Amino acid sequence: MKTIQKITVIIAISCLAIFGGGCGLAKVINLVNCKFSMANVSDITWAGINLSNIKGVSDLSLANVQKAATAIKNKDFNVSCNVNVNVKNVTQKPAKLFAFDYELFLENALLATGSSKEKTFDITPASTVVVPVPVKVNIVDIVKNGEVGNIINFAKNLMDYGTGEESNIKVKLTPYVGAGNKSTKLAPITLNKTFQ
């Protein structure tokens, strides 16, 4: 994070501490010193089917085929997954992530936006915490003719199957920091990863 952004965030957090209480202020401030990087994509699910280890239609069980047929009939093309982000605390002081907003891009096309405020993450000194970004995507505009194979191919684009075809994923993460009942957003962090 750039120095001017750190200064702005520290000023904002100091104001929060004055008006909202100073509980955990040191952890809040130290979040700006953490390093963020994308780890992987996991738990890709559609219609109750875990697509994470499925590479083709032939890998589907009979029960999963029935689930897929029902979802296609109902025009349910909602895919959920976790984009896992590593938050590395490179300091000797604890840090804390309260919540975040996100935008997910695949090949520079915006797929989903959302936020997570359900869980806080404590990042102890000199440690790395994996923060799962829970993403839900309606891929109705991506699949062709509602074919199961196209949905599996979409899942494969989110994962590294060693196919030799590159897939570029970008996440724009906007963390929240807070003190007391107040919170404020940090500058967005853009994470890129090419799977091949």
Side-chain angles (χ1 to χ4, degrees):
M1 191 176 292
K2 294 179 180 178
T3 303
I4 192 163
Q5 290 175 328
K6 286 185 180 181
I7 293 171
T8 303
V9 170
I10 289 170
I11 291 171
I13 292 170
S14 298
C15 291
L16 284 173
I18 292 169
F19 296 107
C23 181
L25 181 60
K27 289 183 180 181
V28 169
I29 291 176
N30 198 42
L31 183 66
V32 301
N33 295 315
C34 291
K35 306 295 183 184
F36 290 74
S37 63
M38 196 185 308
N40 59 4
V41 180
S42 65
D43 305 311
I44 302 174
T45 306
W46 167 64
I49 306 168
N50 189 335
L51 300 176
S52 298
N53 296 315
I54 294 176
K55 299 181 182 181
V57 177
S58 61
D59 293 332
L60 294 173
S61 66
L62 179 59
N64 285 341
V65 169
Q66 292 172 341
K67 290 178 183 178
T70 300
I72 290 172
K73 180 180 178 182
N74 295 332
K75 297 182 179 179
D76 175 9
F77 299 109
N78 294 295
V79 173
S80 63
C81 64
N82 284 329
V83 177
N84 298 308
V85 174
N86 290 328
V87 183
K88 184 176 183 179
N89 187 348
V90 296
T91 74
Q92 295 301 314
K93 298 177 181 178
K96 189 164 192 170
L97 173 64
F98 284 84
F100 52 84
D101 295 335
Y102 69 82
E103 294 177 299
L104 175 69
F105 300 82
L106 179 63
E107 302 296 347
N108 291 319
L110 179 63
L111 290 185
T113 61
S115 63
S116 178
K117 300 177 182 177
E118 298 174 357
K119 186 177 179 182
T120 60
F121 297 88
D122 287 298
I123 306 103
T124 57
S127 71
T128 299
V129 171
V130 178
V131 176
V133 179
V135 176
K136 292 184 179 179
V137 183
N138 187 330
I139 61 171
V140 66
D141 295 327
I142 296 173
V143 298
K144 298 175 183 176
N145 303 320
E147 295 177 1
V148 176
N150 290 319
I151 295 169
I152 292 173
N153 285 336
F154 171 78
K156 287 169 67 176
N157 282 337
L158 292 179
M159 304 272 305
D160 178 12
Y161 282 121
T163 61
E165 297 179 5
E166 290 187 352
S167 181
N168 300 302
I169 297 176
K170 178 171 70 176
V171 173
K172 185 178 286 186
L173 200 68
T174 305
Y176 287 76
V177 292
N181 295 322
K182 304 290 184 179
S183 64
T184 190
K185 294 180 181 181
L186 297 178
I189 300 165
T190 301
L191 308 172
N192 294 278
K193 193 172 183 86
T194 298
F195 297 93
Q196 185 175 22

